[in-house]
Amino acid sequence: VKEAANLSLVSSACEVVSAAYASSKESHPCLSSVCDAAEKGVQSVTQATASCVQPVLATLEPHVAAVSEYAAKGLDKLGEKLPLLPKPVEQILSGTKELLSSRGAEVKEAVSS
């Protein structure tokens, strides 16, 4: 999970979503109180679950390590096949806009001629 979260595309997408969430909370007071309550609920459930699951995780640690290693290799292969993954969202959007703009200009030229 940490390796996936460290991918530029994933982390920048999380930053964009987080900024939108924070902006929405700031601009809508009713939404802010609902979100605060939801955050507290999730935090409580997380704390309760962590204390219950901890003994089980200790026994499964060797298996989790093996799965983690396998997942890391899978992410590496995915990164090789999808060159967009290491790029931040802003760079992908910028490249997409440039591509669409150039294609649009080509289509406009073809139609006008």
Side-chain angles (χ1 to χ4, degrees):
V1 172
K2 285 180 184 177
E3 286 189 35
N6 286 334
L7 291 170
S8 293
L9 177 62
V10 175
S11 64
S12 64
C14 288
E15 289 171 8
V16 168
V17 170
S18 178
Y21 177 77
S23 174
S24 297
K25 278 180 66 174
E26 287 177 16
S27 59
H28 303 288
C30 292
L31 181 61
S32 178
S33 52
V34 170
C35 289
D36 289 340
E39 289 169 13
K40 288 177 185 173
V42 168
Q43 197 172 31
S44 297
V45 169
T46 302
Q47 289 171 348
T49 303
S51 62
C52 295
V53 172
Q54 194 61 39
V56 175
L57 287 178
T59 60
L60 293 176
E61 190 172 344
H63 303 292
V64 171
V67 169
S68 179
E69 184 179 332
Y70 183 72
K73 288 178 183 176
L75 277 175
D76 290 342
K77 286 185 180 181
L78 189 61
E80 291 171 4
K81 292 181 181 182
L82 296 174
L84 293 178
L85 283 178
K87 295 181 181 178
V89 170
E90 294 82 10
Q91 187 177 0
I92 294 170
L93 290 176
S94 173
T96 303
K97 287 177 185 177
E98 289 174 15
L99 178 65
L100 290 175
S101 176
S102 69
R103 296 292 183 204
E106 291 173 9
V107 169
K108 185 177 178 181
E109 186 179 315
V111 169
S112 66
S113 64

